[in-house]
Amino acid sequence: MCQVGEDYVDPPPRECPPAPRPGRGQKCVKCKEGKPVVAVRAGDAFCRDCFKAFYIHKFRAMLGKNRLIFPGEKVLLAWSGGPSSSSMVWQVLEGLSQHSAKRLRFVPGVVYVDEGAVCGQSLEDRAKTLAEVQQILCSISFPWHVVSLEEVFSLPPSVLRYCPQDLAGTEGAYKAAVDSFLQQQHALRAEGAKDVCGLAPGEEERCWRQSQDPHGPLSLAGSPTAAQTEALCRLFESVRTLTAKEELLQMLRSHLILHVARAHSYSKVMTGDSCTRLAIKLMTNLALGRGAFLAWDTGFSDERYGDVVVVRPMRDHTLKEVAFYNRLFAVPSVFTPAVDTKAPEKASIHRLMEAFVHRLQAQFPSTVSTVYRTSEKLAKAPRESCAEGPQGPRCLLCLCTLDIDAADSATAFGVQTSALSQMPPSTLQAEAGIPTTPCSAVGGGPGCCGKACGREGDSQPQVIKQLCYSCRANMKDLPSLDPLPPYILAEAQLRSQRAWVMQDIQEYLIKDSADEAETTES
Amino acid sequence: MPAPTCASCHAARAALRRPRSGQALCGPCFCSAFEAEVLHTVVAGRLLPPGAVVAVGASGGKDSTVLAHVLRELAPRLDITLRLVAVDEGISGYRDAALAAVRRQAARWELPLTVVAYEDLFGGWTMDAVARSTAGTGRSRSCCTFCGVLRRRALEEGARLVGATHIVTGHNADDVAETVLMNFLRGDAARLARGGGLGSPGEGGALPRCRPLQFASQKEVVLYAHFRRLDYFSEECVYAPEAFRGHARDLLKLLEAARPTAALDLVHSAERLALAPAVQPPRPGACSRCGALASRALCQACALLDGLDRGRPRLAIGEREHRGGADVQGTRGRAQAAVQAAAAF
């Protein structure tokens, strides 16, 4: 309703009377010459060219401001087929084709995750979607990987491990990297050899084509076996709430993308989260108890995996801008149903928050930007009062530093896990004043429970103990952990074994208290 | 269908399902579990040390009624002395009925009650007078801004009057959860940085305040009042449209329907929110007029009263930055403007 003009291919599908639009005499606010075509904000009408420049600038500025992506670095673009991530892929495509000093200098690849199995798509539908996806992927000449969600059943447990990497994120390192890249390029050009980045578009394409292996194990679409599909469906059907289903899907998807990135040595993953999407995600995660991780979940960069950093370059673009850009410049996208498509609004926290934010945004147009702006003020380090140091244990599933308190503390976690609520009132009256026993049903201290239950093959409490507050809440909606992909259970087993061994040697370790005193002083 | 047996005592028929856990309990078991949880919060959080004289902010509503009742049950074990402090905002028709409820409760529990009135504390300003004064400016909804700030001050004064060492208020998990949602929606990073704890430890001469019911959801508070047959006053204030909190409240209701622990999950998030050091509020100083805790030259109560006395209530709320030169004051002014805008929604 904010776009003027002849760009509608089909007859304008307009039932409502047209919104007040710029008068005939009005010009683009930027160049003061062109005919305004689109009004992204109230009063700011842009002509086509200026809107494009504005949009591209936002993308480039986001990357330029943060200086996280080094020249020559391999970057995996996580493409879902939706408008925002499609727009992101097109921005990268455009940035690489520019023949100027400003062109992007990283080496992109695209990953598409086929989630048809859990989103209720039939095999024919999935095949049709994949054909569409492949058609688009073939047209963009990046190396690509199409993986199906079923492949989580063959992931190695190492996916869930944090791989530390000395972050060369300082200003000096970035400059040095740029210089060496330029030198290298210069040398290559002097030799007369054509490096990959300096090729003409046509040759570039062929070159990349060769570098990829479309028939490799990870790129082969349609490979999931019927057994795997069935196992995946069984897992998702066993989940009691849509909220937990969405969280589970997000988690599995991110593990799969992480695996693809690691397997093909990509050191960055770009996701297409728009500003609107991030505002919704922020509010959702707040309600899911992920307060401690909001900065990781919604910030520009997310270093929780160590060696692979997730970046969100579209975080300045609103969904509205994305939609107009895609329409004006014919950016192709693929429509696929999501896990919550057609679900009623009250079915999950995600749907509720989405609807709430959109409704509030319609009433108060600054809602999204206010929430988004607040997210930029969040810190990644844990709050001082509850810090266990950045080296503390990490959540098995989301890989964030655990945000749980002692089982009997005066916190929201403490009151839910304290043994009080499970005790009969008679003993409760007598013991209430005394700190509770460490062996509670869920939270559990490192004491008796773990060992007793763990050895007997009931892995549930073992796994739960390794989770953050929010992941615990999600896992409560799973009646059994058995249908989970083997890599999760295997890693959980491994971790608890390691914990037992550590416990066994604990009494022989001598704590160097002088060292501690020094660190606390400094 | 007969009710299941209580999951705790295995003897009586269950009378309710706990909203938080889904556990079926009988009335007495639920009430003692609820009391034990409040006790746990107070003990584990070291909120009220033995020997403390505790002023309970009593409004006559369900939360403060339940809080006072529970603390009275726990008082011998915690070794604390209770005093009820009620605030008379001077809202005719509404406050009288609420105060009558508080008087009945005080008589029933045999607890000393002190009522402090806005009129006496703030140079004759009652809420009715404030409402008349602000009505002309088209900001009649900012009443809640005035009332909230002044009530906080009045409670502090009342607590000092009865020789209290601690103040407790009846805020429950839903209140805290709504506040977090609201502060995010209006972008109030300073309040987000400050919030999350169980109260304030009492810096700069202010009395320590805490919220022992912070982990009890509103539903459980109402259930407790129901089973203990508590008499409380439940009526909306005549000046309380507070539409913005209404948005957060509606949202929370829906979230709770989708996931019963949503309120506590939000409280957990609030406890764990980490904000960049730049938005941490500056160390509060003292008000130059009354000596109370203030983050600016004048504390908020004095600033509001000052505006009222000069017949410019708007200036007191919104247009602070024109008078202050410092940057800190500018941002505070903007935050205030945001609060005011929110109140105007």
Side-chain angles (χ1 to χ4, degrees):
Chain A
M1 83 188 172
C2 305
Q3 181 190 348
V4 176
E6 63 278 72
D7 282 289
Y8 286 102
V9 185
D10 33 20
R14 210 170 270 136
E15 305 86 14
C16 53
R21 45 196 63 258
R24 291 200 187 282
Q26 199 182 336
K27 297 291 180 197
C28 163
V29 289
K30 196 87 180 190
C31 61
K32 313 274 193 281
E33 289 170 1
K35 185 169 156 253
V37 190
V38 55
V40 280
R41 283 179 305 245
D44 288 3
F46 284 110
C47 69
R48 198 182 143 96
D49 290 341
C50 289
F51 177 60
K52 187 173 186 181
F54 158 83
Y55 193 87
I56 293 175
H57 174 76
K58 258 193 182 182
F59 183 80
R60 308 295 300 259
M62 188 44 84
L63 290 178
K65 198 167 65 186
N66 291 287
R67 294 195 158 196
L68 222 61
I69 296 177
F70 286 29
E73 193 170 8
K74 280 183 84 179
V75 175
L76 187 62
L77 310 174
W79 179 57
S80 69
S84 297
S85 61
S86 300
S87 210
M88 172 180 77
V89 172
W90 252 253
Q91 286 298 301
V92 173
L93 198 63
E94 180 135 332
L96 285 168
S97 66
Q98 261 176 24
H99 286 278
S100 69
K102 278 184 184 170
R103 67 191 290 238
L104 296 171
R105 286 175 295 209
F106 55 80
V107 183
V110 181
V111 62
Y112 175 86
V113 181
D114 167 23
E115 298 160 4
V118 296
C119 301
Q121 275 190 300
S122 67
L123 281 177
E124 298 85 71
D125 288 342
R126 289 178 70 180
K128 219 190 276 172
T129 308
L130 277 179
E132 257 182 86
V133 162
Q134 269 166 355
Q135 199 194 341
I136 294 180
L137 285 173
C138 288
S139 73
I140 55 172
S141 76
F142 295 157
W144 43 265
H145 316 270
V146 173
V147 292
S148 62
L149 195 64
E150 282 88 338
E151 285 174 44
V152 292
F153 284 95
S154 43
L155 284 183
S158 61
V159 175
L160 297 175
R161 265 167 242 160
Y162 170 79
C163 298
Q165 195 204 28
D166 38 12
L167 281 173
T170 55
E171 190 85 339
Y174 182 80
K175 283 225 173 81
V178 172
D179 287 347
S180 77
F181 176 79
L182 289 176
Q183 252 171 27
Q184 200 185 332
Q185 216 176 21
H186 198 74
L188 281 170
R189 207 163 280 157
E191 277 171 34
K194 285 179 177 177
D195 70 314
V196 174
C197 307
L199 293 177
E203 289 165 294
E204 227 171 286
E205 192 173 324
R206 211 179 322 129
C207 182
W208 265 324
R209 231 353 75 122
Q210 284 159 358
S211 73
Q212 91 176 73
D213 175 18
H215 301 293
L218 273 168
S219 310
L220 193 65
S223 62
T225 62
Q228 280 181 330
T229 307
E230 200 189 319
L232 191 66
C233 291
R234 202 166 51 236
L235 169 63
F236 274 83
E237 272 158 24
S238 78
V239 182
R240 287 197 205 99
T241 61
L242 186 60
T243 308
K245 244 181 235 186
E246 294 208 29
E247 286 293 294
L248 182 66
L249 175 60
Q250 266 181 35
M251 177 196 88
L252 294 178
R253 185 199 298 134
S254 61
H255 291 166
L256 199 53
I257 291 176
L258 174 65
H259 177 69
V260 173
R262 281 180 176 165
H264 296 263
S265 58
Y266 289 97
S267 48
K268 296 281 186 314
V269 172
M270 274 188 185
T271 65
D273 297 288
S274 65
C275 164
T276 316
R277 180 51 48 197
L278 284 175
I280 294 168
K281 195 170 174 184
L282 190 96
M283 297 300 291
T284 308
N285 286 0
L286 192 71
L288 291 172
R290 295 185 61 83
F293 316 130
L294 289 181
W296 299 94
D297 291 341
T298 61
F300 174 74
S301 66
D302 177 354
E303 299 89 355
R304 76 178 74 170
Y305 306 120
D307 53 345
V308 175
V309 178
V310 178
V311 291
R312 305 185 175 95
M314 298 292 288
R315 66 197 304 269
D316 252 358
H317 297 76
T318 64
L319 219 44
K320 186 172 173 182
E321 286 163 5
V322 170
F324 274 118
Y325 184 87
N326 287 2
R327 188 181 181 100
L328 281 173
F329 300 98
V331 175
S333 59
V334 182
F335 173 79
T336 47
V339 72
D340 61 350
T341 302
K342 287 186 186 168
E345 187 184 308
K346 290 180 183 175
S348 76
I349 304 252
H350 302 77
R351 293 274 293 134
L352 274 170
M353 267 310 176
E354 187 178 2
F356 176 80
V357 170
H358 283 318
R359 218 165 23 230
L360 211 60
Q361 172 76 10
Q363 272 179 291
F364 311 112
S366 61
T367 303
V368 165
S369 62
T370 308
V371 173
Y372 165 70
R373 207 85 39 72
T374 314
S375 81
E376 289 186 322
K377 292 175 188 153
L378 295 165
K380 281 179 184 156
R383 200 170 174 138
E384 325 85 66
S385 53
C386 27
E388 282 155 40
Q391 301 312 319
R394 287 166 179 271
C395 172
L396 177 72
L397 297 180
C398 68
L399 275 89
C400 288
T401 309
L402 285 188
D403 62 339
I404 48 177
D405 314 88
D408 58 348
S409 58
T411 57
F413 176 80
V415 292
Q416 285 182 82
T417 46
S418 81
L420 284 171
S421 32
Q422 279 92 28
M423 264 198 279
S426 51
T427 54
L428 180 145
Q429 290 291 346
E431 284 185 44
I434 313 160
T436 53
T437 52
C439 169
S440 69
V442 197
C448 47
C449 261
K451 229 167 201 172
C453 326
R455 301 272 193 213
E456 252 110 77
D458 178 15
S459 57
Q460 188 121 0
Q462 276 309 315
V463 177
I464 296 288
K465 253 205 287 181
Q466 301 173 19
L467 303 182
C468 67
Y469 180 96
S470 169
C471 288
R472 285 180 194 218
N474 289 326
M475 286 300 131
K476 267 186 216 156
D477 289 340
L478 251 74
S480 159
L481 299 184
D482 297 337
L484 281 177
Y487 73 100
I488 294 177
L489 300 173
E491 177 67 10
Q493 184 80 26
L494 215 71
R495 279 200 195 188
S496 40
Q497 270 165 6
R498 224 175 294 149
W500 292 329
V501 174
M502 273 312 285
Q503 220 176 338
D504 281 346
I505 62 164
Q506 203 64 51
E507 52 185 303
Y508 302 104
L509 292 177
I510 299 166
K511 257 197 192 148
D512 194 359
S513 54
D515 189 41
E516 260 187 25
E518 261 176 35
T519 50
T520 47
E521 265 172 24
S522 60
Chain B
M1 194 181 77
T5 50
C6 169
S8 182
C9 63
H10 302 290
R13 287 256 179 251
L16 76 149
R17 214 168 260 293
R18 278 199 83 166
R20 201 168 78 194
S21 58
Q23 233 181 354
L25 293 176
C26 65
C29 284
F30 166 72
C31 288
S32 47
F34 185 90
E35 283 158 18
E37 280 164 17
V38 177
L39 179 67
H40 173 249
T41 305
V42 174
V43 172
R46 299 199 187 86
L47 299 182
L48 304 171
V53 180
V54 179
V56 183
S59 66
K62 59 183 172 3
D63 296 312
S64 62
T65 305
V66 165
L67 175 66
H69 185 87
V70 171
L71 284 183
R72 189 172 155 277
E73 298 283 313
L74 301 176
R77 199 157 340 139
L78 287 169
D79 187 22
I80 53 173
T81 323
L82 293 184
R83 304 266 187 274
L84 293 184
V85 175
V87 176
D88 181 1
E89 293 95 342
I91 302 170
S92 56
Y94 162 76
R95 210 52 196 160
D96 308 330
L99 282 175
V102 179
R103 289 209 176 85
R104 278 200 304 277
Q105 290 163 359
R108 182 178 155 192
W109 296 327
E110 296 169 341
L111 287 175
L113 167 71
T114 308
V115 180
V116 284
Y118 278 9
E119 197 172 0
D120 308 331
L121 287 176
F122 305 124
W125 282 104
T126 63
M127 266 322 284
D128 285 338
V130 172
R132 273 196 298 278
S133 169
T134 52
T137 63
R139 298 269 167 184
S140 53
R141 276 170 179 172
S142 59
C143 272
C144 294
T145 311
F146 283 93
C147 194
V149 171
L150 296 183
R151 178 150 9 91
R152 194 183 160 86
R153 161 57 51 81
L155 191 57
E156 180 96 18
E157 295 293 328
R160 285 187 194 285
L161 210 65
V162 300
T165 57
H166 289 76
I167 299 177
V168 294
T169 52
H171 294 95
N172 58 36
D174 291 37
D175 296 329
V176 179
E178 278 163 21
T179 307
V180 183
L181 286 174
M182 235 164 54
N183 284 341
F184 249 103
L185 291 173
R186 61 159 82 134
D188 197 338
R191 275 209 176 75
L192 286 170
R194 231 177 305 161
L198 275 160
S200 72
E203 46 192 347
L207 291 176
R209 291 168 170 264
C210 59
R211 306 185 284 261
L213 297 186
Q214 180 164 328
F215 305 119
S217 72
Q218 181 152 310
K219 288 199 182 80
E220 302 216 329
V221 168
V222 176
L223 279 169
Y224 183 85
H226 172 77
F227 281 104
R228 285 283 189 242
R229 296 200 166 70
L230 297 181
D231 158 39
Y232 61 85
F233 178 75
S234 52
E235 214 169 278
E236 276 284 288
C237 171
V238 289
Y239 295 124
E242 259 211 295
F244 203 63
R245 188 173 274 272
H247 282 299
R249 187 165 295 172
D250 294 344
L251 175 64
L252 184 65
K253 287 262 147 54
L254 293 169
L255 292 177
E256 272 192 310
R259 175 170 274 190
T261 56
L264 272 179
D265 294 347
L266 278 161
V267 173
H268 174 82
S269 282
E271 282 168 358
R272 289 291 182 159
L273 272 184
L275 281 114
V279 296
Q280 301 284 348
R283 273 193 66 77
C287 171
S288 61
R289 189 172 296 183
C290 67
L293 197 67
S295 37
R296 284 172 289 150
L298 280 186
C299 71
Q300 189 65 5
C302 286
L304 289 181
L305 288 170
D306 190 50
L308 282 171
D309 285 337
R310 296 197 292 150
R312 306 186 66 185
R314 268 183 86 174
L315 191 67
I317 314 178
E319 294 156 21
R320 187 125 290 275
E321 65 262 50
H322 298 310
R323 286 197 282 164
D327 192 25
V328 181
Q329 289 193 330
T331 53
R332 289 286 300 176
R334 278 198 293 281
Q336 286 306 315
V339 173
Q340 186 190 26
F345 285 160

